[in-house]
Amino acid sequence: MQSISTLVVRPKPRSGPHDHSRGLLQFGKLTFPVALGRTGMTSQKREGDGATPIIVTRPLYGFYRADRESHPVSTLPFVPIRNDMGWCDAPDHPSYNRPVALPFGSSHECLKRDDSLYDLVVVLDINITTRIKGMGSALFMHVAREGYKPTEGCIALRKEDLRQLLMHMRRDTTIRIQR
């Protein structure tokens, strides 16, 4: 399995007024379409702004829905999503931008969703290793909605493309999100 050292995510060339939430992910000679944040990209990420941050990051680990998906082929560690798994998005909580056990009293996302967006999830090191209150939470790489509808700031790919990408990603893969 060949590994890739750098992935580049950039906006797709615009062809219409709502294209700010569409992008391209490139690694080696392959290019995949991706959905980006509903407000496009920013170098000044803030909690709830709906933007994908312009940053250099790396993948940390992942989650998958074992009731819908087989374990991804990847050197990244993956754990099955359980019913009690959530992710805190409350900036003033000590568990901000961290996984939490449900039920959870503060604002959070449930990782076991009814839709397929979190069937495969890669946790990106965005505001995690160095965490700053209000600088964004739950910024993942995950499965795209039909038609690559915008995310809340994540990078989303077709499930098949994400599975292919995971075969090449390692924890030391550099992910460049740029304009």
Side-chain angles (χ1 to χ4, degrees):
M1 183 174 359
Q2 179 189 6
S3 62
I4 298 164
S5 61
T6 303
L7 301 176
V8 177
V9 176
R10 56 186 167 78
K12 185 177 180 181
R14 287 182 141 193
S15 60
H18 303 290
D19 287 347
H20 60 274
S21 64
R22 298 276 180 101
L24 298 171
L25 182 151
Q26 187 170 9
F27 70 100
K29 295 180 182 182
L30 298 176
T31 302
F32 296 127
V34 296
L36 300 171
R38 62 182 157 73
T39 61
M41 301 173 88
T42 186
S43 57
Q44 303 294 316
K45 178 69 185 158
R46 300 298 302 162
E47 186 69 40
D49 65 4
T52 300
I54 296 169
I55 193 169
V56 176
T57 188
R58 64 189 176 86
L60 295 174
Y61 57 92
F63 301 112
Y64 72 103
R65 285 285 301 262
D67 58 327
R68 297 180 180 172
E69 298 290 322
S70 59
H71 190 287
V73 176
S74 181
T75 62
L76 294 174
F78 272 82
V79 296
I81 294 174
R82 298 182 320 270
N83 291 336
D84 69 341
M85 293 173 74
W87 197 275
C88 178
D89 58 12
D92 291 328
H93 195 278
S95 294
Y96 175 61
N97 204 26
R98 296 286 188 265
V100 292
L102 303 179
F104 185 71
S106 292
S107 181
H108 66 279
E109 283 195 51
C110 180
L111 293 180
K112 194 163 191 177
R113 297 172 58 114
D114 292 333
D115 60 24
S116 63
L117 298 188
Y118 288 178
D119 284 4
L120 291 171
V121 177
V122 178
V123 177
L124 304 176
D125 192 10
I126 300 174
N127 202 31
I128 291 181
T129 299
T130 303
R131 188 171 40 154
I132 300 170
K133 231 191 309 191
M135 295 302 286
S137 62
L139 294 164
F140 304 138
M141 186 177 288
H142 62 72
V143 177
R145 287 182 174 89
E146 185 73 30
Y148 295 96
K149 290 183 181 154
T151 70
E152 291 301 313
C154 296
I155 300 164
L157 296 88
R158 273 185 345 126
K159 191 180 293 186
E160 298 78 15
D161 295 343
L162 183 53
R163 277 198 168 279
Q164 183 177 358
L165 183 61
L166 289 173
M167 291 191 294
H168 302 282
M169 288 176 73
R170 303 182 317 232
R171 285 192 62 156
D172 63 350
T173 298
T174 300
I175 301 171
R176 293 185 176 282
I177 305 169
Q178 62 189 39
R179 280 205 175 107

